[in-house]
Amino acid sequence: MILNVFISHSGYASRRKAADLVKISRVKVNGKIVTDCNYKIQPGDEVAAEGNLLSVNKFVYIMFNKPLGVTTTVKDRFAKQTVIDYLPPHLRMVYPVGRLDKNSQGLLILTNDGNFCYHISHPKFNIEKEYVLDVKGNVTVRDLRRAKKGIIDNGELLRLKRVSLKWIKKGVSRLGVITCEGRKRQLRRIFTSLGFKVIYLGRVRIANLHLANLKPGKFRILNKGTIKKMLEA
């Protein structure tokens, strides 16, 4: 890991601020001033910024309600807004857990804990993700069965763990969907293949963590107890 990335992952400063600290000789590695942001930190190195010893072992877990139109990434020069833009500088050492496309909204977790990210994201752990979808058209029981059974799209088997019809109003069907997989645009691809256009997609739950009344664009830091319960769910 290079020096300014190490500093940002420690939570002491944003990556840009970390680079500034390095350039103005405010950072030491093993007691010596280092002014090269690309200096590679080795296991066992001691890194200090402005006299403060840093560590990347401090994990942060953030629950975020991603608004529509926001890109789920750390950095994208083509994106008007990313999820990281909603966080204060001292919390921008985190990364999104899983996917939530630009035209979808809802619950997203951000963290710098790689093991937690792997556990929540990988299908083998069967972590449930729950969504609410609105699609154009009248969805039938047969459509629900086909969606649960799965469809083949571009050589991938896409399927749902559970799907239910909540209501139909004025030619729009509201669905409740649960899946344990996170393939790219999975839900949109399934219902498009079944002949329905998704006009709203929101994630409301991951494992036992519910979005509840957290407003779009707002975040909440999760404590270790909550994270432990998620992993045990």
Side-chain angles (χ1 to χ4, degrees):
M1 188 180 298
I2 61 175
L3 182 55
N4 68 317
V5 173
F6 182 96
I7 296 171
S8 69
H9 281 204
S10 75
Y12 186 78
S14 67
R15 191 173 301 190
R16 181 176 297 178
K17 177 64 175 178
D20 291 339
L21 291 173
V22 173
K23 291 175 183 177
I24 61 175
S25 303
R26 304 301 298 273
V27 176
K28 292 182 178 180
V29 179
N30 299 326
K32 296 182 179 180
I33 293 174
V34 176
T35 57
D36 179 7
C37 290
N38 293 315
Y39 180 92
K40 291 185 178 181
I41 302 302
Q42 304 298 326
D45 282 350
E46 288 191 350
V47 179
E50 300 179 307
N52 299 289
L53 191 63
L54 307 182
S55 171
V56 296
N57 294 324
K58 181 182 178 181
F59 294 131
V60 176
Y61 308 89
I62 297 172
M63 171 184 178
F64 178 61
N65 187 346
K66 189 191 88 67
L68 289 173
V70 177
T71 304
T72 305
T73 186
V74 173
K75 188 176 181 180
D76 185 339
R77 63 191 180 94
F78 298 108
K80 291 183 178 180
Q81 278 188 313
T82 73
V83 292
I84 298 299
D85 294 332
Y86 285 81
L87 303 178
H90 71 281
L91 290 177
R92 293 184 180 180
M93 82 293 282
V94 294
Y95 298 87
V97 178
R99 300 184 179 97
L100 201 55
D101 67 58
K102 183 178 178 180
N103 296 319
S104 301
Q105 66 181 64
L107 179 57
L108 185 70
I109 299 174
L110 301 104
T111 185
N112 58 343
D113 184 345
N115 288 332
F116 174 80
C117 182
Y118 176 72
H119 188 105
I120 295 297
S121 302
H122 202 286
K124 76 176 184 179
F125 294 105
N126 292 313
I127 300 296
E128 290 187 350
K129 287 88 173 177
E130 183 176 352
Y131 301 82
V132 173
L133 279 76
D134 289 347
V135 303
K136 281 189 176 181
N138 297 340
V139 175
T140 65
V141 173
R142 181 172 179 270
D143 295 321
L144 298 180
R145 288 172 179 168
R146 290 174 63 194
K148 187 175 180 181
K149 183 178 179 181
I151 59 104
I152 302 294
D153 183 66
N154 291 329
E156 289 185 303
L157 174 61
L158 307 177
R159 57 189 175 186
L160 308 175
K161 182 175 182 179
R162 288 199 293 275
V163 57
S164 61
L165 177 63
K166 303 297 185 182
W167 46 253
I168 298 177
K169 297 178 182 178
K170 297 181 180 180
V172 174
S173 301
R174 169 153 291 188
L175 307 171
V177 174
I178 295 176
T179 179
C180 295
E181 299 178 355
R183 299 182 187 277
K184 188 174 182 179
R185 299 177 63 83
Q186 177 179 342
L187 302 185
R188 294 183 186 276
R189 291 163 64 191
I190 288 175
F191 287 98
T192 297
S193 295
L194 296 177
F196 298 99
K197 180 180 180 181
V198 177
I199 56 177
Y200 172 81
L201 195 161
R203 184 158 60 199
V204 296
R205 178 175 67 88
I206 299 175
N208 59 358
L209 182 67
H210 293 261
L211 186 61
N213 59 354
L214 187 67
K215 295 181 179 180
K218 300 298 182 180
F219 70 89
R220 178 163 62 87
I221 296 178
L222 303 173
N223 58 43
K224 291 183 178 179
T226 299
I227 296 304
K228 183 179 179 181
K229 290 179 180 178
M230 287 188 70
L231 295 175
E232 293 173 348

